[in-house]
Amino acid sequence: MRRIAKIGRLPAWAILAVALVLTLFPFYWMVRTALTPAADLYSDSGALFPQNPTMVNFQRILGLTTQEEARAAGGSGAQIDFARYLLNSVVYSGLIATLQTFFCAMAGYAFARLRFPGRELVFGIMIAALMVPPIFTLLPNFVLVKSLDWVNTFAGMVAPSILMTPFAVFFLRQFFLSIPRDVEEAARLDGNGAWGVFWRIVLPMSRGPLITIGLTTTVWAWKDYLWPLLVGREEETRVLTVALGVFLQQSPNTRPDWTGLMAGSTLSVLPVLLLLVFLGRRLVQSLNFSGIK
């Protein structure tokens, strides 16, 4: 019977393998293009591996070559201050992830435990906001940020996103509802108020869900393009996604610098990938500690 059960799992494993290949292949092709010399890009376009792999495209993106050396390597000679834009992306995504996770946790706990008039109505309206496409709020947010004179500032870039998102509030509320009330009552007997219970008891018990929301928010903010393009157009606030778009626009129209763009895209993915690897392990440990199945 065990052998039959193992054989029955083969189609499932095959489907998972195909899904894994389809998911990872675009990333592999990006790295493969980044390692391909610009002169071999079109002649070597059908090969799975570059015939003459090189790191010169990464050196060009990191500013380790001169314009003459970049053009000699087949690049467009376009420049990108990668370190500065990387720091801007870290600040932008870090502020949004930290503040949004904290405020969503406060809102989720309020909906889960506090009693106030119209609580269910307000929660229903907030959940209904999930059906509103983000593009509908883009123009009103831009008009508000411009009227506050926050264009080309980090305050204007993060302002529409730091308070909450309906999904995160709903997700955290559902977890807070699963926490036994006896734990909170014991904390209140020890002299803790509502804020003390939330800060000292509930948040430490919610590390797994908080890390989950923080990770998803970080990934979303890291790859965000349209809003930073509208609000953070200057060098001081330009993030990596916008900078890579500008880099491509600086290339000649007859031959875009695809190898340089793929090298920059590969480098831009690495910080988030490392974060997922590091916090992913912490997430599993936190979920096991919390008893979440």
Side-chain angles (χ1 to χ4, degrees), residues 198-272:
F198 172 72
W199 183 256
R200 298 175 183 174
I201 305 299
V202 174
L203 285 186
M205 294 180 64
S206 310
R207 286 180 298 174
L210 291 176
I211 292 175
T212 301
I213 294 299
L215 279 176
T216 56
T217 305
T218 300
V219 173
W220 169 82
W222 189 269
K223 65 183 181 63
D224 192 17
Y225 175 77
L226 184 56
W227 179 252
L229 176 65
L230 293 175
V231 182
R233 292 169 291 183
E234 299 296 332
E235 294 280 339
E236 293 77 10
T237 55
R238 184 177 295 169
V239 297
L240 267 178
T241 51
V242 178
L244 291 175
V246 174
F247 175 82
L248 182 61
Q249 293 172 4
Q250 292 174 348
S251 304
N253 293 330
T254 55
R255 191 180 63 178
D257 190 356
W258 294 116
T259 54
L261 181 64
M262 292 300 104
S265 300
T266 301
L267 293 174
S268 69
V269 168
L270 291 180
V272 177

Side-chain angles (χ1 to χ4, degrees), residues 119-263:
R119 186 187 67 168
E120 300 302 326
L121 176 61
V122 174
F123 183 71
I125 293 174
M126 189 202 64
I127 293 300
L130 287 169
M131 297 184 292
V132 179
I135 194 67
F136 284 6
T137 61
L138 189 68
L139 183 58
N141 284 336
F142 180 78
V143 172
L144 178 59
V145 167
K146 187 176 181 180
S147 64
L148 293 172
D149 199 21
W150 282 358
V151 176
N152 294 318
T153 65
F154 281 108
M157 292 174 65
V158 304
S161 306
I162 61 173
L163 291 181
M164 71 166 195
T165 56
F167 171 76
V169 174
F170 172 77
F171 179 83
L172 292 174
R173 172 186 177 270
Q174 297 306 112
F175 176 78
F176 293 150
L177 287 174
S178 68
I179 297 178
R181 289 182 178 270
D182 296 342
V183 177
E184 300 177 48
E185 293 298 333
R188 289 191 176 92
L189 291 176
D190 289 337
N192 291 287
W195 176 257
V197 172
F198 172 72
W199 183 256
R200 298 175 183 174
I201 305 299
V202 174
L203 285 186
M205 294 180 64
S206 310
R207 286 180 298 174
L210 291 176
I211 292 175
T212 301
I213 294 299
L215 279 176
T216 56
T217 305
T218 300
V219 173
W220 169 82
W222 189 269
K223 65 183 181 63
D224 192 17
Y225 175 77
L226 184 56
W227 179 252
L229 176 65
L230 293 175
V231 182
R233 292 169 291 183
E234 299 296 332
E235 294 280 339
E236 293 77 10
T237 55
R238 184 177 295 169
V239 297
L240 267 178
T241 51
V242 178
L244 291 175
V246 174
F247 175 82
L248 182 61
Q249 293 172 4
Q250 292 174 348
S251 304
N253 293 330
T254 55
R255 191 180 63 178
D257 190 356
W258 294 116
T259 54
L261 181 64
M262 292 300 104

